Coordinates of all heavy atoms in Angstrom, one line a residue:
G8 N 15.1 95.5 102.8 CA 14.8 94.2 102.2 C 15.6 93.8 101.0 O 15.7 92.8 100.6
D9 N 16.2 94.8 100.4 CA 17.0 94.5 99.3 C 18.2 95.5 99.0 O 18.4 96.0 98.0 CB 16.2 94.5 98.0 CG 16.9 93.9 96.9 OD1 17.9 93.0 97.0 OD2 16.8 94.3 95.7
D10 N 18.8 95.8 100.1 CA 20.0 96.7 100.0 C 21.3 95.8 100.1 O 21.2 94.6 100.3 CB 19.9 97.9 101.0 CG 20.0 97.5 102.5 OD1 20.0 96.2 102.7 OD2 20.0 98.3 103.3
A11 N 22.4 96.5 100.1 CA 23.7 95.8 100.1 C 23.7 95.0 101.5 O 24.4 94.0 101.5 CB 24.9 96.8 100.0
V12 N 23.2 95.6 102.6 CA 23.3 95.0 103.8 C 22.5 93.7 103.8 O 23.0 92.6 104.2 CB 22.8 95.8 105.0 CG1 22.8 95.1 106.3 CG2 23.7 97.1 105.1
D13 N 21.3 93.7 103.2 CA 20.5 92.5 103.1 C 21.2 91.4 102.3 O 21.2 90.2 102.7 CB 19.2 92.7 102.7 CG 18.3 93.5 103.7 OD1 18.3 93.0 104.8 OD2 17.7 94.6 103.3
R14 N 21.7 91.9 101.2 CA 22.5 90.8 100.3 C 23.6 90.3 101.0 O 24.0 89.1 100.9 CB 22.9 91.6 99.0 CG 21.7 91.9 98.1 CD 22.1 92.4 96.7 NE 22.9 93.7 96.7 CZ 22.3 94.9 96.7 NH1 21.1 94.9 96.8 NH2 23.1 95.9 96.8
F15 N 24.4 91.1 101.8 CA 25.5 90.6 102.7 C 25.1 89.5 103.5 O 25.7 88.4 103.7 CB 26.2 91.7 103.3 CG 27.3 91.2 104.2 CD1 28.7 91.1 103.8 CD2 27.1 91.0 105.6 CE1 29.6 90.6 104.7 CE2 28.1 90.6 106.4 CZ 29.4 90.5 105.9
L16 N 23.9 89.9 104.3 CA 23.4 89.0 105.3 C 22.9 87.6 104.7 O 23.1 86.6 105.3 CB 22.3 89.6 106.2 CG 22.7 90.8 107.0 CD1 21.6 91.5 107.6 CD2 23.8 90.4 108.1
D17 N 22.2 87.8 103.5 CA 21.9 86.6 102.8 C 23.0 85.7 102.4 O 22.9 84.4 102.4 CB 21.1 87.0 101.5 CG 19.7 87.6 101.8 OD1 19.2 87.4 103.0 OD2 19.1 88.2 100.9
A18 N 24.2 86.3 102.1 CA 25.5 85.5 101.7 C 26.0 84.9 103.0 O 26.7 83.9 102.9 CB 26.4 86.4 101.1
L19 N 25.9 85.6 104.1 CA 26.5 85.2 105.4 C 25.8 84.0 106.0 O 26.5 83.1 106.4 CB 26.5 86.4 106.4 CG 27.2 86.2 107.7 CD1 28.7 85.8 107.6 CD2 27.0 87.4 108.5
L20 N 24.4 84.1 106.0 CA 23.7 83.1 106.8 C 24.1 81.7 106.5 O 24.3 80.9 107.3 CB 22.2 83.4 106.6 CG 21.3 82.4 107.3 CD1 21.5 82.4 108.8 CD2 19.8 82.6 106.9
P21 N 24.0 81.2 105.2 CA 24.2 79.8 104.9 C 25.7 79.4 105.2 O 25.9 78.3 105.4 CB 24.0 79.6 103.4 CG 24.0 81.1 102.8 CD 23.7 81.9 103.9
A22 N 26.6 80.3 105.3 CA 28.0 79.9 105.6 C 28.3 79.8 107.1 O 29.3 79.3 107.5 CB 29.0 81.0 105.0
L23 N 27.3 80.3 108.0 CA 27.6 80.2 109.4 C 27.2 78.8 110.0 O 26.3 78.1 109.5 CB 26.7 81.2 110.1 CG 26.9 82.7 109.9 CD1 25.9 83.5 110.5 CD2 28.3 83.1 110.4
R24 N 28.0 78.4 110.9 CA 27.8 77.0 111.6 C 27.8 77.3 113.0 O 28.4 78.2 113.6 CB 29.0 76.1 111.3 CG 29.3 75.9 109.8 CD 28.2 74.8 109.2 NE 28.3 74.8 107.8 CZ 27.7 75.4 106.8 NH1 26.8 76.3 107.2 NH2 27.9 75.1 105.6
G25 N 27.1 76.4 113.7 CA 26.8 76.5 115.2 C 25.5 76.2 115.6 O 24.7 75.7 114.8
T26 N 25.2 76.4 116.8 CA 23.8 76.3 117.3 C 22.9 77.3 116.6 O 23.3 78.3 116.3 CB 23.7 76.4 118.8 OG1 24.1 77.7 119.1 CG2 24.6 75.4 119.5
P27 N 21.7 76.9 116.5 CA 20.7 78.0 115.9 C 20.8 79.3 116.7 O 20.8 80.3 116.1 CB 19.3 77.3 116.0 CG 19.7 75.9 116.0 CD 21.0 75.7 116.7
R28 N 21.0 79.2 118.0 CA 21.0 80.4 118.8 C 22.3 81.2 118.4 O 22.3 82.5 118.3 CB 21.0 80.2 120.3 CG 21.1 81.4 121.2 CD 21.2 81.0 122.6 NE 19.8 80.6 122.9 CZ 19.4 80.2 124.2 NH1 20.4 79.9 125.1 NH2 18.2 79.8 124.3
D29 N 23.3 80.6 118.3 CA 24.7 81.3 118.0 C 24.6 81.9 116.6 O 25.0 83.0 116.5 CB 25.8 80.3 118.2 CG 26.1 79.9 119.6 OD1 25.8 80.6 120.5 OD2 26.9 78.9 119.6
V30 N 24.0 81.2 115.7 CA 24.0 81.7 114.3 C 23.0 82.9 114.2 O 23.4 84.0 113.7 CB 23.5 80.6 113.4 CG1 23.1 81.2 112.0 CG2 24.5 79.6 113.2
R31 N 21.9 82.8 114.9 CA 20.9 83.9 115.0 C 21.5 85.2 115.6 O 21.3 86.2 115.1 CB 19.7 83.4 115.8 CG 18.5 84.4 115.7 CD 17.2 83.8 116.4 NE 17.5 83.6 117.8 CZ 17.6 82.4 118.4 NH1 17.3 81.4 117.7 NH2 17.7 82.3 119.7
R32 N 22.2 85.0 116.7 CA 22.8 86.1 117.4 C 24.0 86.7 116.6 O 24.1 87.9 116.5 CB 23.4 85.7 118.8 CG 22.3 85.4 119.8 CD 22.8 84.9 121.1 NE 21.8 84.7 122.1 CZ 21.9 84.3 123.2 NH1 23.1 83.8 123.6 NH2 20.9 84.1 124.0
A33 N 24.7 85.8 115.9 CA 25.8 86.4 115.1 C 25.2 87.1 113.9 O 25.8 88.4 113.6 CB 26.6 85.2 114.5
L34 N 24.2 86.7 113.3 CA 23.5 87.5 112.2 C 23.0 88.8 112.7 O 23.1 89.8 112.0 CB 22.5 86.6 111.6 CG 22.0 86.9 110.2 CD1 23.2 86.7 109.2 CD2 21.0 85.9 109.7
A35 N 22.4 88.8 113.8 CA 21.8 90.0 114.4 C 22.8 91.1 114.7 O 22.7 92.2 114.5 CB 20.9 89.7 115.6
E36 N 24.0 90.5 115.3 CA 25.1 91.4 115.6 C 25.6 92.0 114.4 O 25.9 93.2 114.3 CB 26.2 90.7 116.4 CG 27.3 91.6 116.9 CD 28.3 90.8 117.8 OE1 28.0 89.6 118.1 OE2 29.3 91.3 117.9
C37 N 25.9 91.3 113.3 CA 26.4 91.7 112.0 C 25.4 92.8 111.5 O 26.0 93.9 111.1 CB 26.7 90.6 111.0 SG 28.1 89.6 111.5

Side-chain angles (χ1 to χ4, degrees):
D9 191 31
D10 64 358
V12 172
D13 289 313
R14 289 189 298 275
F15 175 87
L16 296 171
D17 289 345
L19 180 62
L20 178 60
L23 294 173
R24 302 287 176 261
T26 65
R28 176 180 291 175
D29 288 339
V30 170
R31 188 176 63 247
R32 287 179 177 170
L34 202 62
E36 183 176 348
C37 289

